[in-house]
Amino acid sequence: MQTAVTELFGIDYPILNAGMGRVALPEMVAAVCNAGGLGVLGAGSSPPEQTREMIREIRSRTNKPFGANCPLALPNGLENAKICLEEKIPVINYSMGRGDWICQAAHAYGGKVMASVTDTKLALKAQQHGCDAVIAAGHEAAGHAGTVTTFTLIPRLAELLDIPVIAAGGIANGSTLIAALALGAGGVSMGTRFWTTKEGPMHQGWKDKALELDVGDTLYSAKFDGIPCRQMDVPGARKMMDARVLNVWSVFQHSFQIAKELEIPWFRLALDTFKKGPKEIEGMMRMSQMLKSHTHTLNSGDTTKGFTTVGMSVGVVHDIPTIAELMERIMAEARDCQARLARNTLG
Ligand SMILES: Cc1cc2nc3c(=O)[nH]c(=O)nc-3n(C[C@H](O)[C@H](O)[C@H](O)COP(=O)(O)O)c2cc1C
């Protein structure tokens, strides 16, 4: 299947895994690349030297092109983007910030850059800043989803932009891949569908929980980390959403653990947070609770505590395959969907 996205990145299938922080690790990235897609590392807030090691591990597992996601507004985000440039990785995906300097530096060595966007304004800016593609996440998406649905955002961006659009949010099988391409996307990026695989590092208990959920079993709120965000509807997420006042003492205690995990001096983390202003401080405090939850989901299968990010597409996830099995199945479903479209036997 050839699209603007397969041509841009030199890959076989127009499928990317979302660069999920602490979830899209080298094993997952290499598996997606080796199965014909574009694997994207979730550099998240990882300590920069750890990001460098992960990039090198990906290179030891695959000789195919790959990418890395760097959320620029998060601690270590800018530093991780610089590591990606130093390592001259084939594709950099930035989110939560301005990336014209990344485009310039990546293009100088032949790298490609994609920005993650949730609306038309951000997408136009990304194109203006020199991006080669955008990943556009609709309201259905896990994590920081916008308010515009995939079904309306993608065709509008396809009209507006000269660069390829990669659709995210609500995509988890062959028919949703074909639907995204029909809307004008050149490829798709999937998060939920990729963490519910054998290679996903989340504890099995959370994968089993995902299989029980339907399309309506997510929560969307700014109460998780200050920016509207979609999470799995479990008791821990409801508790966080309903908390009017944060337990400042618990956040304070946990901040030492976060500073240690991110390898940032506690004093610098605290100073950077306090420089941002009252709304951002609350957001960062909430985010610290979210990070704590995500650590729990990696280490424990107890779904009565903690919570994790999941998109509405979780409702069409019914098994935990390997990534190779998943990619082949999605492509087979997509070909079947195309054939049914051609015969006009859909529905
Ligand atoms: C567990 C998880 C972690 C995520 N972490 C990030 C991240 O670190 N950076 C980012 O830009 N998006 C992140 N996302 C959002 C994805 O990039 C993407 O927009 C979303 O997964 C698409 O919706 P879907 O999950 O229904 O496929 C994450 C998503 C999930 C499920």
Side-chain angles (χ1 to χ4, degrees), residues 12-69:
D12 296 330
Y13 301 148
I15 299 176
L16 286 67
N17 72 273
M20 301 171 277
R22 304 171 88 190
V23 172
L25 300 176
E27 187 187 0
M28 180 182 291
V29 176
V32 174
C33 294
N34 291 333
L38 185 80
V40 181
L41 174 71
S45 285
S46 303
E49 282 313 311
Q50 197 176 309
T51 298
R52 195 191 299 282
E53 277 168 33
M54 291 195 287
I55 290 170
R56 293 183 178 173
E57 189 184 337
I58 295 167
R59 285 197 156 120
S60 74
R61 287 173 177 259
T62 185
N63 54 11
K64 303 267 172 87
F66 65 94
N69 170 269

Short mmCIF file of all heavy atoms in Angstrom, two decimals, residues 12-69:
data_model
loop_
_atom_site.label_atom_id
_atom_site.label_comp_id
_atom_site.label_asym_id
_atom_site.label_seq_id
_atom_site.Cartn_x
_atom_site.Cartn_y
_atom_site.Cartn_z
N ASP A 12 6.77 0.25 4.42
CA ASP A 12 5.86 -0.57 3.60
C ASP A 12 4.39 -0.25 3.87
O ASP A 12 3.56 -0.28 2.97
CB ASP A 12 6.08 -2.06 3.90
CG ASP A 12 7.49 -2.49 3.50
OD1 ASP A 12 8.03 -1.89 2.54
OD2 ASP A 12 8.04 -3.39 4.14
N TYR A 13 4.05 -0.04 5.15
CA TYR A 13 2.64 0.17 5.54
C TYR A 13 2.47 1.57 6.15
O TYR A 13 3.35 2.01 6.92
CB TYR A 13 2.21 -0.87 6.57
CG TYR A 13 2.32 -2.31 6.13
CD1 TYR A 13 2.61 -3.30 7.06
CD2 TYR A 13 2.11 -2.68 4.80
CE1 TYR A 13 2.70 -4.63 6.69
CE2 TYR A 13 2.21 -4.01 4.43
CZ TYR A 13 2.51 -4.98 5.36
OH TYR A 13 2.61 -6.29 4.99
N PRO A 14 1.34 2.22 5.89
CA PRO A 14 1.15 3.60 6.41
C PRO A 14 0.70 3.61 7.87
O PRO A 14 -0.31 4.22 8.23
CB PRO A 14 0.07 4.16 5.49
CG PRO A 14 -0.75 2.98 5.09
CD PRO A 14 0.19 1.79 5.06
N ILE A 15 1.45 2.87 8.70
CA ILE A 15 1.05 2.71 10.11
C ILE A 15 2.21 3.09 11.02
O ILE A 15 3.34 2.62 10.85
CB ILE A 15 0.64 1.24 10.39
CG1 ILE A 15 -0.56 0.85 9.52
CG2 ILE A 15 0.33 1.03 11.86
CD1 ILE A 15 -0.98 -0.62 9.66
N LEU A 16 1.90 3.94 12.00
CA LEU A 16 2.90 4.34 13.00
C LEU A 16 2.36 3.95 14.37
O LEU A 16 1.14 3.98 14.58
CB LEU A 16 3.08 5.87 13.02
CG LEU A 16 3.85 6.58 11.91
CD1 LEU A 16 3.10 6.51 10.58
CD2 LEU A 16 4.05 8.05 12.29
N ASN A 17 3.25 3.62 15.29
CA ASN A 17 2.78 3.55 16.68
C ASN A 17 2.96 4.94 17.26
O ASN A 17 3.87 5.68 16.88
CB ASN A 17 3.55 2.50 17.50
CG ASN A 17 4.96 2.92 17.82
OD1 ASN A 17 5.85 2.68 17.03
ND2 ASN A 17 5.17 3.57 18.95
N ALA A 18 2.03 5.32 18.18
CA ALA A 18 2.16 6.62 18.85
C ALA A 18 3.39 6.59 19.74
O ALA A 18 3.68 5.58 20.38
CB ALA A 18 0.91 6.89 19.66
N GLY A 19 4.09 7.72 19.81
CA GLY A 19 5.30 7.81 20.65
C GLY A 19 4.92 7.95 22.12
O GLY A 19 5.08 9.02 22.70
N MET A 20 4.42 6.88 22.69
CA MET A 20 3.88 6.91 24.06
C MET A 20 5.02 6.87 25.09
O MET A 20 5.77 5.89 25.15
CB MET A 20 2.96 5.69 24.28
CG MET A 20 1.80 5.64 23.31
SD MET A 20 0.87 4.08 23.41
CE MET A 20 1.84 3.01 22.35
N GLY A 21 5.11 7.93 25.90
CA GLY A 21 6.15 8.00 26.93
C GLY A 21 6.08 6.80 27.85
O GLY A 21 5.01 6.44 28.33
N ARG A 22 7.21 6.17 28.12
CA ARG A 22 7.38 5.01 29.01
C ARG A 22 6.67 3.75 28.52
O ARG A 22 6.67 2.74 29.19
CB ARG A 22 6.89 5.32 30.44
CG ARG A 22 7.58 6.54 31.02
CD ARG A 22 6.95 6.95 32.30
NE ARG A 22 7.54 6.27 33.43
CZ ARG A 22 7.04 6.30 34.66
NH1 ARG A 22 5.94 6.95 34.91
NH2 ARG A 22 7.64 5.68 35.63
N VAL A 23 6.03 3.82 27.36
CA VAL A 23 5.28 2.67 26.83
C VAL A 23 5.84 2.24 25.47
O VAL A 23 6.05 1.05 25.22
CB VAL A 23 3.77 3.01 26.73
CG1 VAL A 23 3.01 1.91 26.02
CG2 VAL A 23 3.19 3.25 28.13
N ALA A 24 6.06 3.21 24.59
CA ALA A 24 6.64 2.88 23.28
C ALA A 24 8.16 2.82 23.44
O ALA A 24 8.88 3.79 23.19
CB ALA A 24 6.23 3.91 22.23
N LEU A 25 8.62 1.67 23.92
CA LEU A 25 10.04 1.46 24.24
C LEU A 25 10.71 0.73 23.07
O LEU A 25 10.04 0.30 22.13
CB LEU A 25 10.13 0.68 25.56
CG LEU A 25 9.46 1.40 26.74
CD1 LEU A 25 9.50 0.55 28.00
CD2 LEU A 25 10.11 2.76 27.01
N PRO A 26 12.04 0.57 23.10
CA PRO A 26 12.74 0.00 21.95
C PRO A 26 12.15 -1.29 21.40
O PRO A 26 12.07 -1.48 20.19
CB PRO A 26 14.16 -0.20 22.47
CG PRO A 26 14.33 0.92 23.45
CD PRO A 26 13.00 1.06 24.13
N GLU A 27 11.69 -2.19 22.28
CA GLU A 27 11.15 -3.47 21.79
C GLU A 27 9.93 -3.23 20.89
O GLU A 27 9.81 -3.81 19.81
CB GLU A 27 10.75 -4.35 23.00
CG GLU A 27 10.34 -5.74 22.57
CD GLU A 27 9.79 -6.58 23.72
OE1 GLU A 27 9.73 -6.09 24.87
OE2 GLU A 27 9.40 -7.73 23.44
N MET A 28 9.03 -2.33 21.34
CA MET A 28 7.83 -2.03 20.56
C MET A 28 8.20 -1.31 19.25
O MET A 28 7.72 -1.65 18.17
CB MET A 28 6.87 -1.15 21.37
CG MET A 28 5.61 -0.80 20.62
SD MET A 28 4.48 0.29 21.53
CE MET A 28 3.91 -0.77 22.83
N VAL A 29 9.09 -0.33 19.36
CA VAL A 29 9.48 0.47 18.19
C VAL A 29 10.08 -0.43 17.11
O VAL A 29 9.68 -0.39 15.94
CB VAL A 29 10.51 1.57 18.61
CG1 VAL A 29 11.00 2.34 17.39
CG2 VAL A 29 9.89 2.50 19.64
N ALA A 30 11.02 -1.29 17.52
CA ALA A 30 11.68 -2.17 16.55
C ALA A 30 10.68 -3.15 15.95
O ALA A 30 10.73 -3.45 14.75
CB ALA A 30 12.83 -2.90 17.22
N ALA A 31 9.74 -3.63 16.77
CA ALA A 31 8.74 -4.59 16.26
C ALA A 31 7.87 -3.93 15.19
O ALA A 31 7.57 -4.54 14.16
CB ALA A 31 7.88 -5.11 17.40
N VAL A 32 7.49 -2.68 15.40
CA VAL A 32 6.66 -1.97 14.41
C VAL A 32 7.48 -1.76 13.13
O VAL A 32 6.99 -2.01 12.02
CB VAL A 32 6.14 -0.62 14.97
CG1 VAL A 32 5.40 0.18 13.90
CG2 VAL A 32 5.22 -0.84 16.17
N CYS A 33 8.73 -1.35 13.28
CA CYS A 33 9.59 -1.13 12.10
C CYS A 33 9.77 -2.44 11.33
O CYS A 33 9.61 -2.48 10.11
CB CYS A 33 10.97 -0.63 12.51
SG CYS A 33 10.97 0.99 13.26
N ASN A 34 10.08 -3.51 12.07
CA ASN A 34 10.36 -4.79 11.40
C ASN A 34 9.11 -5.38 10.76
O ASN A 34 9.20 -6.21 9.86
CB ASN A 34 10.99 -5.78 12.38
CG ASN A 34 12.41 -5.34 12.75
OD1 ASN A 34 13.08 -4.64 11.97
ND2 ASN A 34 12.88 -5.69 13.93
N ALA A 35 7.93 -4.92 11.21
CA ALA A 35 6.67 -5.40 10.61
C ALA A 35 6.23 -4.50 9.45
O ALA A 35 5.16 -4.72 8.88
CB ALA A 35 5.59 -5.48 11.68
N GLY A 36 7.00 -3.49 9.11
CA GLY A 36 6.70 -2.67 7.93
C GLY A 36 6.18 -1.27 8.20
O GLY A 36 5.94 -0.50 7.27
N GLY A 37 5.97 -0.92 9.49
CA GLY A 37 5.48 0.43 9.81
C GLY A 37 6.61 1.34 10.26
O GLY A 37 7.79 1.02 10.09
N LEU A 38 6.23 2.49 10.84
CA LEU A 38 7.24 3.38 11.42
C LEU A 38 7.09 3.32 12.93
O LEU A 38 6.09 3.78 13.48
CB LEU A 38 7.08 4.82 10.92
CG LEU A 38 8.21 5.75 11.41
CD1 LEU A 38 9.47 5.58 10.55
CD2 LEU A 38 7.79 7.22 11.41
N GLY A 39 8.09 2.74 13.59
CA GLY A 39 8.08 2.70 15.05
C GLY A 39 8.53 4.05 15.58
O GLY A 39 9.45 4.67 15.04
N VAL A 40 7.85 4.50 16.64
CA VAL A 40 8.18 5.82 17.22
C VAL A 40 8.41 5.64 18.72
O VAL A 40 7.51 5.22 19.46
CB VAL A 40 7.04 6.84 16.96
CG1 VAL A 40 7.39 8.20 17.54
CG2 VAL A 40 6.75 6.97 15.46
N LEU A 41 9.62 5.97 19.15
CA LEU A 41 9.98 5.87 20.56
C LEU A 41 9.25 6.95 21.36
O LEU A 41 9.16 8.10 20.93
CB LEU A 41 11.50 6.08 20.69
CG LEU A 41 12.08 6.17 22.10
CD1 LEU A 41 12.06 4.80 22.78
CD2 LEU A 41 13.51 6.70 22.06
N GLY A 42 8.76 6.60 22.55
CA GLY A 42 8.18 7.61 23.44
C GLY A 42 9.27 8.10 24.37
O GLY A 42 9.49 7.53 25.43
N ALA A 43 9.95 9.18 23.97
CA ALA A 43 11.05 9.67 24.81
C ALA A 43 10.48 10.33 26.07
O ALA A 43 11.10 10.31 27.13
CB ALA A 43 11.93 10.65 24.04
N GLY A 44 9.26 10.91 25.95
CA GLY A 44 8.58 11.50 27.12
C GLY A 44 9.51 12.35 27.95
O GLY A 44 10.22 13.21 27.44
N SER A 45 9.52 12.08 29.25
CA SER A 45 10.39 12.83 30.17
C SER A 45 11.61 12.00 30.57
O SER A 45 12.23 12.27 31.60
CB SER A 45 9.61 13.21 31.42
OG SER A 45 8.73 14.26 31.15
N SER A 46 11.93 11.00 29.78
CA SER A 46 13.07 10.13 30.14
C SER A 46 14.33 10.98 30.29
O SER A 46 14.53 11.95 29.55
CB SER A 46 13.34 9.10 29.05
OG SER A 46 12.19 8.35 28.83
N PRO A 47 15.22 10.58 31.20
CA PRO A 47 16.50 11.29 31.29
C PRO A 47 17.21 11.23 29.93
O PRO A 47 17.21 10.17 29.28
CB PRO A 47 17.27 10.49 32.35
CG PRO A 47 16.22 9.76 33.11
CD PRO A 47 15.09 9.50 32.17
N PRO A 48 17.80 12.33 29.47
CA PRO A 48 18.37 12.38 28.12
C PRO A 48 19.35 11.25 27.79
O PRO A 48 19.29 10.69 26.70
CB PRO A 48 19.07 13.74 28.07
CG PRO A 48 18.32 14.56 29.07
CD PRO A 48 17.85 13.64 30.13
N GLU A 49 20.21 10.88 28.73
CA GLU A 49 21.17 9.80 28.41
C GLU A 49 20.46 8.47 28.24
O GLU A 49 20.90 7.61 27.47
CB GLU A 49 22.30 9.73 29.44
CG GLU A 49 23.35 10.82 29.24
CD GLU A 49 23.83 10.97 27.77
OE1 GLU A 49 24.16 9.97 27.14
OE2 GLU A 49 23.85 12.12 27.27
N GLN A 50 19.33 8.31 28.96
CA GLN A 50 18.53 7.08 28.80
C GLN A 50 17.91 7.06 27.39
O GLN A 50 17.83 6.02 26.75
CB GLN A 50 17.45 7.07 29.86
CG GLN A 50 16.82 5.73 30.09
CD GLN A 50 15.81 5.81 31.23
OE1 GLN A 50 16.12 6.30 32.33
NE2 GLN A 50 14.60 5.38 30.98
N THR A 51 17.49 8.25 26.93
CA THR A 51 16.92 8.36 25.58
C THR A 51 17.98 7.97 24.55
O THR A 51 17.71 7.23 23.61
CB THR A 51 16.42 9.80 25.33
OG1 THR A 51 15.38 10.05 26.29
CG2 THR A 51 15.89 9.99 23.93
N ARG A 52 19.21 8.44 24.77
CA ARG A 52 20.28 8.09 23.83
C ARG A 52 20.49 6.57 23.79
O ARG A 52 20.58 5.97 22.74
CB ARG A 52 21.59 8.79 24.25
CG ARG A 52 22.64 8.77 23.13
CD ARG A 52 24.00 9.20 23.61
NE ARG A 52 24.11 10.52 24.15
CZ ARG A 52 24.18 11.66 23.45
NH1 ARG A 52 24.12 11.61 22.14
NH2 ARG A 52 24.30 12.82 24.05
N GLU A 53 20.48 5.97 24.98
CA GLU A 53 20.66 4.50 25.05
C GLU A 53 19.52 3.79 24.33
O GLU A 53 19.73 2.80 23.63
CB GLU A 53 20.69 4.03 26.50
CG GLU A 53 22.03 4.16 27.16
CD GLU A 53 21.92 3.97 28.67
OE1 GLU A 53 21.07 3.18 29.12
OE2 GLU A 53 22.68 4.66 29.38
N MET A 54 18.29 4.30 24.51
CA MET A 54 17.13 3.65 23.87
C MET A 54 17.25 3.76 22.34
O MET A 54 16.93 2.82 21.62
CB MET A 54 15.82 4.26 24.37
CG MET A 54 15.52 3.92 25.83
SD MET A 54 13.82 4.23 26.34
CE MET A 54 13.77 6.01 26.42
N ILE A 55 17.73 4.91 21.86
CA ILE A 55 17.91 5.09 20.41
C ILE A 55 18.92 4.06 19.89
O ILE A 55 18.71 3.41 18.87
CB ILE A 55 18.36 6.53 20.10
CG1 ILE A 55 17.22 7.51 20.36
CG2 ILE A 55 18.89 6.66 18.67
CD1 ILE A 55 17.61 8.97 20.31
N ARG A 56 19.98 3.89 20.66
CA ARG A 56 21.01 2.93 20.23
C ARG A 56 20.48 1.50 20.28
O ARG A 56 20.81 0.69 19.43
CB ARG A 56 22.27 3.12 21.08
CG ARG A 56 22.86 4.48 20.74
CD ARG A 56 24.14 4.79 21.44
NE ARG A 56 24.61 6.10 20.96
CZ ARG A 56 25.63 6.75 21.44
NH1 ARG A 56 26.34 6.22 22.42
NH2 ARG A 56 25.98 7.93 20.96
N GLU A 57 19.63 1.23 21.28
CA GLU A 57 19.04 -0.12 21.35
C GLU A 57 18.13 -0.37 20.14
O GLU A 57 18.15 -1.47 19.56
CB GLU A 57 18.25 -0.29 22.65
CG GLU A 57 17.83 -1.73 22.82
CD GLU A 57 16.96 -2.00 24.04
OE1 GLU A 57 16.99 -1.21 25.01
OE2 GLU A 57 16.23 -3.02 24.00
N ILE A 58 17.36 0.64 19.74
CA ILE A 58 16.49 0.47 18.55
C ILE A 58 17.37 0.14 17.35
O ILE A 58 17.07 -0.78 16.58
CB ILE A 58 15.65 1.75 18.28
CG1 ILE A 58 14.67 1.99 19.43
CG2 ILE A 58 14.91 1.64 16.94
CD1 ILE A 58 14.03 3.36 19.42
N ARG A 59 18.47 0.87 17.24
CA ARG A 59 19.36 0.64 16.08
C ARG A 59 19.95 -0.77 16.10
O ARG A 59 20.26 -1.32 15.04
CB ARG A 59 20.47 1.69 16.06
CG ARG A 59 19.94 3.05 15.59
CD ARG A 59 21.05 3.99 15.17
NE ARG A 59 20.54 5.00 14.24
CZ ARG A 59 20.57 6.32 14.46
NH1 ARG A 59 21.10 6.79 15.56
NH2 ARG A 59 20.07 7.14 13.55
N SER A 60 20.09 -1.33 17.31
CA SER A 60 20.64 -2.69 17.37
C SER A 60 19.56 -3.73 17.03
O SER A 60 19.87 -4.86 16.72
CB SER A 60 21.23 -2.97 18.76
OG SER A 60 20.17 -3.15 19.69
N ARG A 61 18.28 -3.33 17.11
CA ARG A 61 17.19 -4.28 16.86
C ARG A 61 16.62 -4.19 15.45
O ARG A 61 15.90 -5.07 15.02
CB ARG A 61 16.04 -4.02 17.85
CG ARG A 61 16.33 -4.45 19.28
CD ARG A 61 15.20 -3.97 20.17
NE ARG A 61 15.33 -4.38 21.55
CZ ARG A 61 14.68 -5.39 22.10
NH1 ARG A 61 13.84 -6.10 21.39
NH2 ARG A 61 14.85 -5.69 23.37
N THR A 62 16.87 -3.07 14.75
CA THR A 62 16.32 -2.92 13.40
C THR A 62 17.22 -2.01 12.57
O THR A 62 17.86 -1.11 13.12
CB THR A 62 14.88 -2.34 13.44
OG1 THR A 62 14.36 -2.32 12.11
CG2 THR A 62 14.80 -0.94 14.01
N ASN A 63 17.22 -2.26 11.26
CA ASN A 63 17.95 -1.32 10.39
C ASN A 63 16.97 -0.47 9.58
O ASN A 63 17.35 0.19 8.63
CB ASN A 63 18.94 -2.07 9.48
CG ASN A 63 18.25 -3.16 8.69
OD1 ASN A 63 17.02 -3.20 8.67
ND2 ASN A 63 19.01 -4.02 8.05
N LYS A 64 15.69 -0.50 9.99
CA LYS A 64 14.65 0.28 9.29
C LYS A 64 14.56 1.69 9.89
O LYS A 64 14.99 1.92 11.01
CB LYS A 64 13.29 -0.42 9.47
CG LYS A 64 13.26 -1.86 9.00
CD LYS A 64 12.78 -1.91 7.58
CE LYS A 64 12.89 -3.29 6.98
NZ LYS A 64 11.79 -4.16 7.19
N PRO A 65 13.95 2.64 9.13
CA PRO A 65 13.78 3.98 9.70
C PRO A 65 12.84 3.96 10.92
O PRO A 65 11.93 3.13 10.97
CB PRO A 65 13.14 4.79 8.56
CG PRO A 65 12.81 3.83 7.48
CD PRO A 65 13.45 2.51 7.77
N PHE A 66 13.09 4.85 11.85
CA PHE A 66 12.24 4.93 13.06
C PHE A 66 12.19 6.39 13.50
O PHE A 66 12.90 7.25 12.97
CB PHE A 66 12.80 4.05 14.19
CG PHE A 66 14.14 4.51 14.69
CD1 PHE A 66 14.24 5.36 15.79
CD2 PHE A 66 15.30 4.14 14.04
CE1 PHE A 66 15.47 5.82 16.24
CE2 PHE A 66 16.55 4.59 14.48
CZ PHE A 66 16.63 5.43 15.58
N GLY A 67 11.32 6.66 14.47
CA GLY A 67 11.20 8.03 14.98
C GLY A 67 11.21 8.07 16.49
O GLY A 67 11.32 7.04 17.15
N ALA A 68 11.12 9.30 17.04
CA ALA A 68 10.99 9.45 18.49
C ALA A 68 10.12 10.66 18.77
O ALA A 68 10.21 11.68 18.08
CB ALA A 68 12.36 9.64 19.15
N ASN A 69 9.25 10.51 19.77
CA ASN A 69 8.36 11.62 20.18
C ASN A 69 8.97 12.35 21.37
O ASN A 69 9.37 11.72 22.35
CB ASN A 69 6.98 11.07 20.56
CG ASN A 69 6.10 12.12 21.24
OD1 ASN A 69 6.09 12.25 22.46
ND2 ASN A 69 5.39 12.89 20.44
#
